[in-house]
Amino acid sequence: MEFIRRLFRAASLNKKIHMRAEASSPLQSDRGPLASELSDNLARLAAEFSHTPDLVVRTFTYKQTGAKAALVYLEGLVDKNAINNHVLRQLMFQTLEDSAGEAVELPVAIGEMRSLTDWGDVEHTLLHGYSILFIDGQFPSYALETQGWPQRAISDSQIEASLKGAHQGFIETGSHNIALIRRYLSTRELKIKQLLVGERTKNQISILYLEDVALPELVEELERRIRSLQVDCILNTGELAELIEDNPFTLFPQMITTERPDSAASQLLQGRLCVVVDRSSSVLITPVNLAAFFQGIDDYSTRWSIATFFRLLRFFACLIATFLPAFYIACISYNHELIPLDLILSIGEFRSAVPFPPFIEALIMEIMLEMLREAGMRLPAPIGQTVGIVGGIVIGQAAVQAGIVSNLMVVVVASTAVASFILPNYDLAAAVRLIRFPMMTLASMFGIIGIAAGTMFIIARLISLQSLGEAYSSPFAPIRVKDWKDVFVRLPIKRMGTRPLSIRSLQKKRHGTPPAKKGDDSA
């Protein structure tokens, strides 16, 4: 009866606890010590976790001492088989003895067990899938590793497809993502710094780096930026990247987001840092430069000549996706002398029935293209591609027949869309698509001079950007010729015996690189 009275007494304390919670942080580290009596601990637990139907309190008699005990856990975050077979069965029915004949304190077959003395620790571990064991008359209590939340199986990345690389992608569990990276980098030099970020919900963020390769100043700077965050919660890597990047007011991405463990391992070997956010299926790579966004994982699994061709094709596609509509508008509106006579007569014939100026014509088609692209992404996969292709053909043909746009404008917009799809990084491709609109505006106002002015502004912006304090435009500004062996072209791997100078790694030379033949000059 005394135990029941104490549980009802907790209802009167509920209001005071909520008033105290409003005056402090929701997850304050010092919430007061645990009590040694089981009834007191369960009373406070019932008060703090009110209206929590998935909270399970399993009371039983501890076989070792005959005392009352309770195992507390959140139903959807634990592995019930581990609780029933490796925790409750041993605690309720089994008494283990060591070689000296003395009873063992906790006869449980579980991976990790930690002592808890503070209510802040109880709340944090309980919300992260641990089970809390309270024993009447015993202090401290224990957190048992019984995590088992729902998670999807490891599958291929949907965004970064690879033809000859591995077909494994990250999932939404940080520990599994770290294990995938360790599969590629089985070395003790792979170090991990784990941080807890969030005022309302603590989320684990891990910084991975090779200790003998990565520059310590970069690790310290990244850790300082993450520790200084004052946010409710970090839900995904996109939020984290925007919070810690050098300049959030720019279209160009300053960190690489990848879903591939082999790509993350490759970047770590170059001296970069990897940030794994728990509950996110992608990781961040920093510091990076603009050239890194044009590199694909298949570039290093194919012959160097083929990889070089596709690398050059990506740079050319970036120029097409950025400047082609603006160049078309400038030539039609102002700079007619740049168009051959036969072609300009053909263009004039097509445009004779179009009532809009070239800028409005291009704007209509570009906005319609973006709408089709967004609709295709939101629709289910089996019909998304069909809607995008059929919708583009039907709308484009109908627009030409209605006299809204010309045939040549449809060709220009379609070529621009195809070029943007070639870019291997989604963030860079999105930035290029947005840059296209101000370039079109400048071309409609000033012609080729407007395009030149916009290009100068883009170059100046790229030179001024930094990624974790490192030059974003390297190896072009500042000029580092030795790094050009993996920018526009990809030289044979045995010629790339040094790590990129723009990353400032501790070890410049790659270990295990075959020596060049006598008489050959290394790039």
Side-chain angles (χ1 to χ4, degrees), residues 282-401:
S282 57
V283 304
L284 292 178
I285 306 297
T286 185
V288 296
N289 50 28
L290 183 62
F293 291 92
F294 293 89
Q295 298 172 354
I297 194 63
D298 283 333
D299 291 352
Y300 306 95
S301 57
T302 57
R303 294 188 56 81
W304 70 272
S305 55
I306 300 175
T308 298
F309 170 75
F310 287 115
R311 185 80 59 83
L312 293 174
L313 187 64
R314 292 172 197 150
F315 280 98
F316 179 72
C318 183
L319 296 178
I320 293 296
T322 305
F323 298 108
L324 182 59
F327 183 75
Y328 172 80
I329 294 172
C331 292
I332 296 298
S333 302
Y334 295 97
N335 305 96
H336 308 286
E337 66 278 2
L338 297 177
I339 307 175
L341 181 59
D342 295 339
L343 181 59
I344 198 171
L345 292 176
S346 177
I347 294 174
E349 181 182 355
F350 290 140
R351 286 194 46 80
S352 60
V354 178
F356 302 110
F359 173 71
I360 301 299
E361 183 186 5
L363 191 63
I364 292 174
M365 290 302 298
E366 290 291 347
I367 293 178
M368 187 60 64
L369 176 65
E370 294 299 326
M371 292 174 62
L372 288 172
R373 189 199 311 267
E374 193 69 15
M377 292 177 58
R378 298 293 178 265
L379 290 172
I383 63 175
Q385 295 181 352
T386 304
V387 170
I389 296 173
V390 175
I393 295 174
V394 172
I395 293 177
Q397 185 65 26
V400 172
Q401 292 180 355

Side-chain angles (χ1 to χ4, degrees), residues 213-253:
V213 177
L215 193 67
E217 288 80 357
L218 295 178
V219 180
E220 295 173 359
E221 174 64 18
L222 180 59
E223 183 180 1
R224 182 193 64 80
R225 294 188 185 187
I226 295 177
R227 288 188 183 276
S228 63
L229 297 179
Q230 300 291 331
V231 293
D232 278 350
C233 179
I234 299 294
L235 297 178
N236 51 63
T237 54
E239 291 184 3
L240 180 63
E242 189 172 347
L243 289 170
I244 65 176
E245 63 186 2
D246 293 67
N247 193 333
F249 300 100
T250 182
L251 294 177
F252 293 99

Side-chain angles (χ1 to χ4, degrees), residues 184-202:
Y184 289 91
L185 298 177
S186 303
T187 171
R188 59 182 174 84
E189 299 298 338
L190 179 61
K191 304 300 180 181
I192 304 173
K193 287 190 175 183
Q194 294 186 336
L195 311 173
L196 291 177
V197 178
E199 299 296 326
R200 184 168 299 276
T201 299
K202 298 289 186 183

Side-chain angles (χ1 to χ4, degrees), residues 9 49 82 89 160 169 240 284 354 426 456 480 490 500-501:
R9 195 184 308 159
F49 285 87
R89 179 174 296 179
E160 301 172 82
L240 180 63
L284 292 178
V354 178
Y426 174 80
M456 293 173 61
R480 294 185 174 96
R490 201 275 283 172
L501 299 177

Side-chain angles (χ1 to χ4, degrees), residues 79 126 145 158 226 259 276-277 304 333 361 431 438 470 520:
D79 183 0
L126 187 63
E145 186 183 17
Q158 298 297 321
I226 295 177
E259 293 183 348
V276 178
V277 181
W304 70 272
S333 302
E361 183 186 5
E470 302 298 313
D520 290 348

